[in-house]
Amino acid sequence: MHRLDDLVTIGEASKLKGVSIDTLRRWEREGKIIPHRTEGGHRRYKVADLLQINQPEKLRFTVCYGRVSTTELKDDLQRQLLVLESFCKQEGWGNIHILKDVGSGMNYRKKGLMKLVEMLQRDEIERLVITDKDRLLRFGSELIFALCELNQVQVTILNRPAEVEPEKEFVDDILSILTVFSARLYGRRSRKNLKRMQVLHDATNEILENT
């Protein structure tokens, strides 16, 4: 057990701080620590000085998250991500990490969204940048924002570009749900389920007529 006023060799200092000898030499060049010198010119580090040096901060990312509901909107997804990335560069935010999804805003298990939650749990995100909160989830985006608040993650929501049609995307989400339910009901072709399918079919037609 070392005392605070003990002087240790560069090898011992390396083990004590858990860094390489090259890192200790770099810290010396940067003026973070000035070692004592023996008559022979060898470095000796005071334990108290070593303990005062903060370890490098954990790398955290600026995450840009984009999503569209269908593959037909992939061009919009690329524009969306370009807007997000350009905004981050204008703000001088580095370590930009792109996450994206193609799928319904009502699907909680999208690959990009799950990766976002995983990074939040590992405290790897400094800020989250999106064009609109519905890009995360149609319903339930507040849960993601709550995780961000717990991890002190800054959330920036940009204005939605004028060419995006939120009503159309909402309709696409609803239709995707109706399609899933219809497929499940079709797999169980009882009389009751056929009636339910007819109700879903009528609802789908009504949505399409009013779009």
Side-chain angles (χ1 to χ4, degrees), residues 11-107:
E12 291 172 323
S14 171
K15 293 178 181 177
L16 185 63
K17 287 298 292 181
V19 298
S20 68
I21 289 176
D22 286 340
T23 297
L24 287 171
R25 290 173 176 157
R26 176 169 56 80
W27 285 351
E28 182 180 347
R29 291 194 300 271
E30 294 171 351
K32 290 183 178 180
I33 187 170
I34 305 299
H36 299 269
R37 292 282 182 169
T38 67
E39 291 184 1
H42 299 291
R43 294 176 176 85
R44 293 293 183 266
Y45 294 84
K46 192 174 182 179
V47 172
D49 294 339
L50 290 168
L51 296 179
Q52 287 178 356
I53 299 178
N54 293 326
Q55 292 292 94
E57 292 185 6
K58 184 177 182 180
L59 182 63
R60 301 176 83 209
F61 296 92
T62 293
V63 172
C64 297
Y65 178 84
R67 180 189 65 80
V68 291
S69 56
T70 64
T71 54
E72 287 78 10
L73 296 172
K74 278 192 173 182
D75 288 343
D76 175 63
L77 178 59
Q78 292 305 314
R79 288 194 297 270
Q80 193 182 136
L81 296 174
L82 281 174
V83 167
L84 292 171
E85 191 170 3
S86 296
F87 178 83
C88 291
K89 289 180 178 178
Q90 288 174 4
E91 294 295 315
W93 296 337
N95 298 326
I96 298 173
H97 186 74
I98 301 294
L99 292 176
K100 59 185 178 179
D101 280 314
V102 176
S104 169
M106 297 183 183
N107 178 6

Side-chain angles (χ1 to χ4, degrees), residues 178 181-186 188 190-204:
L178 292 175
F181 276 109
S182 295
R184 289 180 179 177
L185 291 174
Y186 185 78
R188 306 170 184 173
S190 66
R191 181 172 297 179
K192 184 184 293 185
N193 283 344
L194 290 175
K195 289 181 179 179
R196 290 172 177 168
M197 285 179 62
Q198 185 60 51
V199 172
L200 289 175
H201 178 74
D202 294 342
T204 302

Side-chain angles (χ1 to χ4, degrees), residues 67 69 103-106 138 169-177:
R67 180 189 65 80
S69 56
S104 169
M106 297 183 183
R138 181 65 65 180
E169 187 169 348
F170 183 72
V171 168
D172 290 339
D173 285 339
I174 294 296
L175 290 177
S176 67
I177 291 175

